Amino acid sequence: MAALVPEVLTSTHVEKMNKKKPPKRYWEETENTDQRRPEEEQGTAVQNQNKSTVKERSLKRKNGESLEKKDPFSGEAPIPHKQLQKFQRGEKYKVPAGARQRLKEAIISSEAMSELAQKQAARYDLLLPEDAGFLEGDEDEDTNTISQDDIADAADITSGSKYFNLHLSQFGPYRLDYGRTGRHLLVGGKKGHVACIDWQSKDLMCEMNVMETVNDVKWLHTEAMFAVAQKRWLYIYDSKGLELHCVKKFNDVLRMQFLPYHFLLATASATGFLQYLDVSVGKEIAAICTKMGRLDVMSQNPHNAVIHLGHPNGTISLWSPNQKEPLVKILCHRGAVRSLTVDKTGTYMVTSGLDRKLKVYDIRAFKPLHSCFLPAGASCLSLSQRGLLSAATGDIVQVYQNVLGSSPVSKPYMAHRLQGQIWGLAYCPFEDVLGIGHGEGFTSMIVPGAGEPNFDALDTNPFRSSKQRQEWEVKALLEKVQPELIGLDPGQLSKVDQASFEQRHKEHVEALGFDPLAKDKFKPKTKKKGRSSAGAIEKRKRKVAHEDQRDKIRQTVQERTERDKEQKEKSNEKKNLGNKSTLDRFRK
Amino acid sequence: MAVESGDEDDLSINEQAISASEDEEGSDDERKHKKLLEAISSMGGRKRKKQSERSEASVQVSEFFVNAEGTGEKVNISDLLGTVEKTSGAANKTKKQLRNLQNSKGTLALPLNKQQTEKIQRGIAYEKTTKEVSCWQNIIVQNQKAEQIVFPLNQESLGPKQVEQVVAGWKAQTPLEQEIFRLLHSNSHPVNDPVLTPVEEASLKAMSLEEAKIRRAELQKTRALQSYYEAKAKREKNIKSKKYHKIQKKGKRKEFLKQFEEMVKTNPEGALEELKKMELSRMEERMSLKHQNSGKWAKSKAIMAKYDDSARKAMQEQLQMNKDLTQKIVVPSDDEHESNEEGLETVPDFVNDPEPIIDPVNPWMRVQLTHEEPEVSCVTTDEPQTAEQENEEEELIGEFERKRKLRQADEEDLIPTEEQSKRAGLKKILAQNEVVEEDVVEVSDKEEEEEEEDEEEEDVSEFNTLFRLMRNEKTLEGTNQTPQGLNTPEREDEEGLLNEGQIRVRNIEDLEILDEDTAVGEATSEPPNKKKSEIDLKKVLTKDAKVVKVPFLPTVVEEEDHGEQISIIKEAFAGDDVISDFIKDKRKQEAAGKPKVVDLTLPGWGEWGGVGLKPSRWKRKRFRIKMASSPPRQDRKLPDTIISENRNTSIASHQVSQLPFPFQNTAQFESCIRTPIGQTWNTQGVVKKMTKPKVITKLGAIIAPMVKEDFINKTTTSAGKGPAIMLGENKRANKGREWSSAKHQGRRGSQKRKKQQT
């Protein structure tokens, strides 16, 4: 009834032909016919003129069977399980037994829809054709001994030109920031030199000296504006170098982070304040006194827009603008935290401290995964889109591969020596490039496999025109995420507010006098022949009592046994590995 | 009762007769008097049956006492009833009916009053309208449930139509066409699919006479054979001798094995089927305890086995049977492999077996040269180690069996020595698959001795026995555990001395920081219910660090010794102990989160109060209210983390706090909204599908209210199984039917309307 569909035709001339096939009877041997088919196919393939097969074929043609061609790949193309899993959102919900019709329909339809979405997304994954680069050394050659010049020589001209140095020795160590699309670079020297460059064309957009100490520089949502944390106030300039704002509410800012989907500029100041500025309306959203002293280590979690701050007492605190106290506080180092960074998926956090350790944390569980000891601790850390970690140890930049796995690393993937202290490290998005700001200027270093090869042109398009940029800006502003939604769990919005739900439900129950959501009590059926005596009924009731509780217990018991089994296996493996003897080689 | 009613009937008859005669003869006093008398007599208690007398002459004289009174009159029901009562042959039913008729001769009932009639009418009207309205129910529910409705509802689809649809609209119009189609239909010619006429089909189906004869003969033959076979089976079944059946079974099994081997070579499919059967029997065996040692017979035999050799043998045979049956069968995987395997089969398996006369000390001599897994049957093994064990064990069993046979064949007169009995015991153990803790060394020693003893005997007959045993070995393969396998812990102990494993090198730092592994070990060793409210200092910052090799060392920092570094760091941070500070902080937070005890005691109330006096214990107990404990902290198992327990209230205003209608709990609702519908997360097609509007109206089109005919027609056409294309008269006939039905409905509808109006 719903959509108007042309009347379905039950049969056509063509279909009738198919139906001509005599029905298969159970007493007829099915195997013979099954066998015949592959034979036949082989015969056609090899052009075998075997008499019997020819006869069979002709026979079949007479029956009108061979006229139809079977589609060897009927139905939809299968999607690999792995790909499907990649796009899975939550667990599938089974329709509970005894659910009402409407509920059943609602659940079934929503499940079907989410399955469709998942399938389609997995199918469209095919449209991400680019692969990431990598660096491979010869036999017994460490990749970290390959110099940048060699790489630049070996690579094509465009890629080779991505390795370059800017000699800016006058205005001291540089901080840097790449725009979200990866085309624009902003560098700020400590002694006041600020410049923004379209680094791929080496086109200087603006350059100036603010005549003040520059603590940090940051692009805002587009390449049209950037923020500079100067000695006293926070300034906002446009890409021509024109001063747009001097935000006097933000003083002594040391580090800044820009949350692109919330349009929030988070600043950490020397006075211990963490402040949020909404750049779309120019309003201060929150000012939190952290009471943790000078805040000069800062990073954001791109997954949930939580700000991570590192403190001199070795702790790292996680902040949202909605709470005056840290969401989480983790003791990471025995000395002060020097630097920290969070990976794109918001799963891992890498920290380095004065105790010269580099630690990898799983910030979903807040558990340390592994830690390693760097000879001279890392002063700057940065994670690329594909999980390469760069660490600045003194005047050397080291790049590590597979840091985020479970096994600790033993040696770097790449290394590069620079002049002067390193002050800023940042990977360029969608490029295999690591930008390094140091005492002698800026260096762009090639790191194969750093950047994400496939970009979402609707979100961040490196090749967008100014018109596209304008349109994107409008769309992004319309889709702006409210700062209230920032929290540890970004999916919080899709959950029912349990506390107020319970409160409301309680009130509702009081008003009604009964609980509408309560499960119906088990009512034993009346049975005959004395089996419905009070005792029997009581017995039957007891059989189903605490069913949900029993389920839970059953589940936990099962889980426990599984865990035990796993542990046992693990220990067994260990034992087996550990007890290798010299006589083992005699074993077969 | 019956008699009484009969009397009354008589009376009534008389009365009627009287009244009739009155009219005829006018006033007659005598009669009146008689009537009166009769009436009086009838009032009396006793009722006599009176016979009516013939009072006057009449034309018709009945021999059955019937008077001629009232001749030519109409027959009354009462007349009939009277005769019915008397005749026994009349049906009970008719009797009853007649009686009812008579009883109901009273006056007509009063018409119902207005209210009641109206009530009844209303009821009927309600029923009718519900019937009428409820036929809309389906379509309405359907429309409510529909994901999308396009208005106006029955739009003609635009765009190209299918050929069949266009053709279906065509009618045979000219007389020639009509005639043609009439002809076609009259001869039951297929109009749609003109390949074969039914006659042709029928002729195709029919068989020739010879064929039929042959077929009949075949059937006869098979029937006869079947009956012979049945008779034979019955005869054999009646034989009661157990021995006979036993022998029969054995013979059958042997034959089957032979056949099977042949079948493997010639007809692999048949063999596969046989294998399936074997699998089935295996299942059955595994399910039952038929050939286990738990039966009554088996138990008795087990007792006997100690003294009686034959009993022991029988027992073993049974267990062997069980083993054979429960053996897992591996199906040969592919046709390609089959040819290979067949090739391999020409070389017997024992070629690769280790030679029986070997140096027991040399481990290399025991090794099979190249070991392939047997293709017919084997246990799928995960680890190569178990496979080895099985191999060895198989050897062992083979050895035993061989010896036993030799002994039986050659030296039956020998008295079983102590060793032999030992061996038998061992054999039993092996056969029964029992888990026995026995020393490997012992076993192997025994083995060696035996081997040395039997060397000479074996030399000659070994080959024959080997051949004979080949199949057994195949089937035996991989069923049992080795005694050596059982003794692995001991071996481990031995090997502990020659440990090659890694030695964990501990840093100085590690001394203070507990390794995670050891922590886990501790956790397992400690009783789990031990409370850990205290934060262990050693558990904070537990990850040990791995030193990373760097290609070139930084120039700024000089190389230092590891220990020195630590001491320097320690010096630098001697003042601030970060860990203890952190722990203090955490304790504080925990304490703040705990519910406080409310003290409502009033000192001096009901007892003496004053300085230095405390309220009594019972009072304190009574008036100090403990609040319910808060749920466990999220960070209770993370010693170096503090997770804030504050609820994020800012997001609450955006969240859903009331469950929408069909959902009964939050999990259901959350699962239903877990997939986002935005463009950012979905492909274009899915977004369109997810966000399509529920109702679409065509611009400018008139949306008429739904008519009953719309959906009723639809359902009938969809339900009807008629061919898609109907040409000529057929179609018209169908249409006519439809039309007539519609008309009928319309008429019915109008009738209803009329009724409602009235």
Side-chain angles (χ1 to χ4, degrees), chain A residues 375-531:
Chain A
S379 63
C380 286
L381 290 174
S382 177
L383 270 169
S384 86
Q385 283 174 324
R386 287 183 51 84
L388 294 189
L389 175 75
S390 62
T393 52
D395 59 347
I396 295 165
V397 172
Q398 296 164 17
V399 180
Y400 293 95
Q401 225 174 4
N402 305 328
V403 193
L404 305 182
S406 53
S407 59
V409 289
S410 56
K411 64 179 182 185
Y413 168 59
M414 288 180 80
H416 188 57
R417 169 163 295 188
L418 304 147
Q419 289 103 37
Q421 198 66 23
I422 291 165
W423 196 245
L425 266 185
Y427 278 101
C428 179
F430 309 113
E431 290 284 350
D432 289 345
V433 163
L434 171 67
I436 307 156
H438 47 86
E440 296 295 304
F442 170 80
T443 301
S444 173
M445 174 186 170
I446 298 173
V447 182
E452 177 65 42
N454 300 296
F455 56 84
D456 181 359
L458 293 175
D459 185 30
T460 46
N461 186 357
F463 307 111
R464 71 182 172 196
S465 61
S466 61
K467 197 82 193 159
Q468 280 173 323
R469 196 203 72 211
Q470 285 164 7
E471 271 179 24
W472 169 85
E473 202 173 345
V474 172
K475 267 187 195 165
L477 277 168
L478 287 174
E479 286 175 358
K480 183 188 142 185
V481 185
Q482 289 305 313
E484 291 95 69
L485 304 187
I486 297 177
L488 273 181
D489 180 11
Q492 193 65 36
L493 188 62
S494 66
K495 286 187 179 121
V496 174
D497 181 18
Q498 207 64 36
S500 63
F501 168 68
E502 270 159 21
Q503 180 64 32
R504 219 176 254 249
H505 183 65
K506 214 166 130 193
E507 281 163 15
H508 194 53
V509 167
E510 267 172 23
L512 279 177
F514 70 96
D515 188 357
L517 293 183
K519 238 175 150 183
D520 292 340
K521 252 189 175 178
F522 172 69
K523 244 188 207 164
K525 275 185 200 163
T526 44
K527 287 183 176 176
K528 280 172 187 172
K529 295 183 185 169
R531 271 181 283 170

Side-chain angles (χ1 to χ4, degrees), chain B residues 282 326-331 371-381 387 390 394 473-479:
Chain B
R282 176 173 166 264
T326 51
Q327 210 159 44
K328 202 166 185 186
I329 299 152
V330 169
V331 181
H371 173 69
E372 264 103 20
E373 287 192 338
E375 60 274 14
V376 179
S377 63
C378 88
V379 167
T380 48
T381 51
E390 281 157 10
E394 177 197 316
E473 272 186 2
K474 251 188 221 166
T475 50
L476 270 171
E477 218 161 4
T479 47

Side-chain angles (χ1 to χ4, degrees), chain B residues 123-133 752 755-756:
Chain B
I124 291 164
Y126 170 76
E127 257 169 39
K128 270 175 186 165
T129 32
T130 43
K131 213 180 205 176
E132 200 179 351
V133 169
K752 268 174 204 166
K755 266 187 193 167
Q756 275 175 350

Side-chain angles (χ1 to χ4, degrees), chain B residues 128-197:
Chain B
K128 270 175 186 165
T129 32
T130 43
K131 213 180 205 176
E132 200 179 351
V133 169
S134 65
C135 71
W136 291 78
Q137 184 82 30
N138 265 339
I139 192 81
I140 286 167
V141 169
Q142 211 178 333
N143 280 2
Q144 275 173 348
K145 275 185 198 167
E147 284 175 1
Q148 193 176 42
I149 306 180
V150 185
F151 286 114
L153 278 174
N154 26 355
Q155 265 176 326
E156 292 247 332
S157 64
L158 298 173
K161 282 175 188 167
Q162 283 176 307
V163 180
E164 286 81 4
Q165 268 180 327
V166 178
V167 169
W170 179 77
K171 283 178 208 167
Q173 281 168 337
T174 61
L176 179 65
E177 284 168 352
Q178 282 175 2
E179 202 146 316
I180 288 170
F181 275 110
R182 203 173 304 138
L183 261 175
L184 281 178
H185 286 303
S186 62
N187 290 343
S188 67
H189 237 282
V191 182
N192 302 328
D193 187 13
V195 178
L196 288 175
T197 61

Side-chain angles (χ1 to χ4, degrees), chain A residues 4 13 89 329 369 373, chain B residues 153 155 192 546 585 674:
Chain A
L4 212 106
H13 284 289
R89 280 180 200 279
K329 217 162 144 190
L369 288 177
F373 194 86
Chain B
L153 278 174
Q155 265 176 326
N192 302 328
K546 197 177 174 185
D585 194 4
R674 69 171 199 267

Side-chain angles (χ1 to χ4, degrees), chain B residues 551-584:
Chain B
F552 24 74
L553 282 163
T555 43
V556 185
V557 182
E558 291 91 56
E559 274 194 79
E560 285 168 325
D561 211 13
H562 205 77
E564 280 177 53
Q565 281 178 2
I566 288 157
S567 62
I568 285 168
I569 290 167
K570 272 191 179 166
E571 257 175 60
F573 302 104
D576 43 17
D577 189 358
V578 284
I579 294 174
S580 65
D581 278 355
F582 186 83
I583 286 167
K584 260 184 218 161

Side-chain angles (χ1 to χ4, degrees), chain A residues 291-328:
Chain A
K291 298 171 199 161
M292 299 272 205
R294 190 181 158 88
L295 305 171
D296 56 351
V297 180
M298 186 187 198
S299 172
Q300 66 161 304
N301 184 341
H303 181 57
N304 52 15
V306 165
I307 295 290
H308 293 224
L309 294 175
H311 304 291
N313 60 358
T315 58
I316 279 170
S317 53
L318 276 60
W319 299 85
S320 87
N322 308 313
Q323 211 164 315
K324 295 285 175 204
E325 58 168 19
L327 301 173
V328 180

